[in-house]
Amino acid sequence: MTIYYFWISLAVLLIAFLLSAFRILREYERGVVFMLGRFYRVKGPGLIVIIPIVQQMVKVDLRIRVLDVPTQDVISRDNVSVKVNAVLYFRVIDAQKAVVNVEDFFAATSQLSQTTLRSVLGKHELDEMLASRDELNRDIQEILDEQTDSWGIKVSNVEIKHVDLDETMVRVIARQAEAERIRRAKVIHANGEKEAAQVLLEAARTLSEQPQALQLRYLQTLTEVANDRSSTIVFPLPMDLLKGFLKPGETGS
């Protein structure tokens, strides 16, 4: 009877041993296999066989991961203190490097993204942070992608979410924007005066070449003034119109 139970126990252990050798990996998973502590190969997806005790497997997810970069205190090149946070999209493209070359690739990428964010934004002025986010995103993404290449990581996208300013700086920027609008209004007004002066100069040259045109202009102006409700109309009358009514030798004073 004892021998019977012994063989039953042995059979159960053997079946469990054999079943532990079979692993199933999903389409987005890879298994980094080590044999006696040394890297052997990367397996998956699907059904794979692992020799128990002799081989060990570390599972790696190849899907894109989203990393929320915590808010960082950044001092811009023009000495303005701002708080900036961002979001990072990356994935593992080489499972072997992600397991062998770095202890925790997620934590390492997180720390590297924070330092890179502060370093890149510190080289730019506040206006560039607010107006040139696409260029800054590309710069950060390229730097991170290059530095994480040895870890088997591909940084696909970086997006700066918020650039927060204190209330004092917000008021300063508002005054600066108002002054800029006033400057533009003055420039536009001056350009309008310049263009009007040029047009008047051309009109004066045309009228000087044709005296009749000047008289017609006077009459047109008289018609426009006559439509006004004012009871008194002061209108200059050219003496050329009175020459036919003056006696010979008489001139207007």
Side-chain angles (χ1 to χ4, degrees):
M1 192 67 178
T2 303
I3 297 176
Y4 175 75
Y5 285 116
F6 171 77
W7 286 110
I8 292 179
S9 301
L10 184 61
V12 171
L13 292 175
L14 181 61
I15 293 174
F17 182 80
L18 293 175
L19 291 178
S20 64
F22 296 96
R23 306 287 180 85
I24 297 177
L25 297 179
R26 299 180 178 88
E27 183 65 32
Y28 54 84
E29 293 177 332
R30 297 294 183 272
V32 180
V33 180
F34 295 88
M35 179 176 291
L36 298 177
R38 298 179 62 87
F39 171 76
Y40 175 60
R41 60 179 299 185
V42 177
K43 293 186 177 181
L47 178 65
I48 64 174
V49 178
I50 299 295
I51 302 175
I53 302 175
V54 177
Q55 294 181 338
Q56 297 84 33
M57 186 187 71
V58 179
K59 188 183 300 184
V60 180
D61 194 326
L62 302 185
R63 291 178 294 182
I64 292 179
R65 299 193 177 192
V66 181
L67 176 61
D68 189 8
V69 181
T71 302
Q72 303 294 310
D73 293 325
V74 179
I75 299 179
S76 64
R77 192 172 62 181
D78 51 350
N79 296 324
V80 179
S81 179
V82 296
K83 295 182 180 295
V84 183
N85 61 352
V87 60
L88 175 70
Y89 299 89
F90 72 97
R91 65 186 181 91
V92 177
I93 59 174
D94 191 327
Q96 176 187 350
K97 292 181 179 179
V99 174
V100 176
N101 293 356
V102 61
E103 179 182 2
D104 187 344
F105 65 85
F106 189 86
T109 304
S110 176
Q111 294 298 320
L112 181 61
S113 64
Q114 296 177 37
T115 56
T116 304
L117 181 65
R118 292 195 300 268
S119 176
V120 172
L121 295 184
K123 299 178 181 178
H124 295 79
E125 297 182 356
L126 177 61
D127 292 341
E128 295 175 344
M129 294 185 193
L130 299 177
S132 304
R133 289 195 181 184
D134 292 340
E135 297 179 2
L136 295 176
N137 291 336
R138 282 196 301 271
D139 292 343
I140 298 173
Q141 184 265 329
E142 291 175 358
I143 294 174
L144 288 176
D145 191 31
E146 180 180 358
Q147 294 184 352
T148 58
D149 182 65
S150 60
W151 302 343
I153 304 297
K154 172 63 178 177
V155 179
S156 58
N157 194 18
V158 177
E159 293 290 340
I160 297 176
K161 295 195 296 184
H162 299 291
V163 178
D164 297 330
L165 305 172
D166 56 18
E167 296 181 359
T168 303
M169 184 54 60
V170 171
R171 289 194 295 268
V172 170
I173 293 177
R175 290 197 298 269
Q176 180 183 1
E178 182 180 1
E180 178 65 19
R181 288 193 296 268
I182 294 175
R183 184 190 68 83
R184 291 180 182 178
K186 291 181 178 180
V187 171
I188 293 173
H189 179 72
N191 289 334
E193 293 291 337
K194 180 180 178 181
E195 294 177 1
Q198 293 175 351
V199 174
L200 289 175
L201 178 60
E202 295 176 1
R205 291 175 179 173
T206 303
L207 293 175
S208 64
E209 295 174 357
Q210 298 292 334
Q212 297 83 359
L214 181 60
Q215 295 177 2
L216 292 175
R217 183 59 183 164
Y218 273 124
L219 295 176
Q220 182 180 359
T221 304
L222 180 60
T223 303
E224 295 175 357
V225 174
N227 294 329
D228 195 358
R229 296 182 181 181
S230 176
S231 59
T232 303
I233 299 177
V234 179
F235 184 78
L237 184 63
M239 296 306 299
D240 293 340
L241 296 178
L242 302 178
K243 287 182 178 181
F245 301 97
L246 296 177
K247 295 179 181 182
E250 292 182 358
T251 59
S253 55

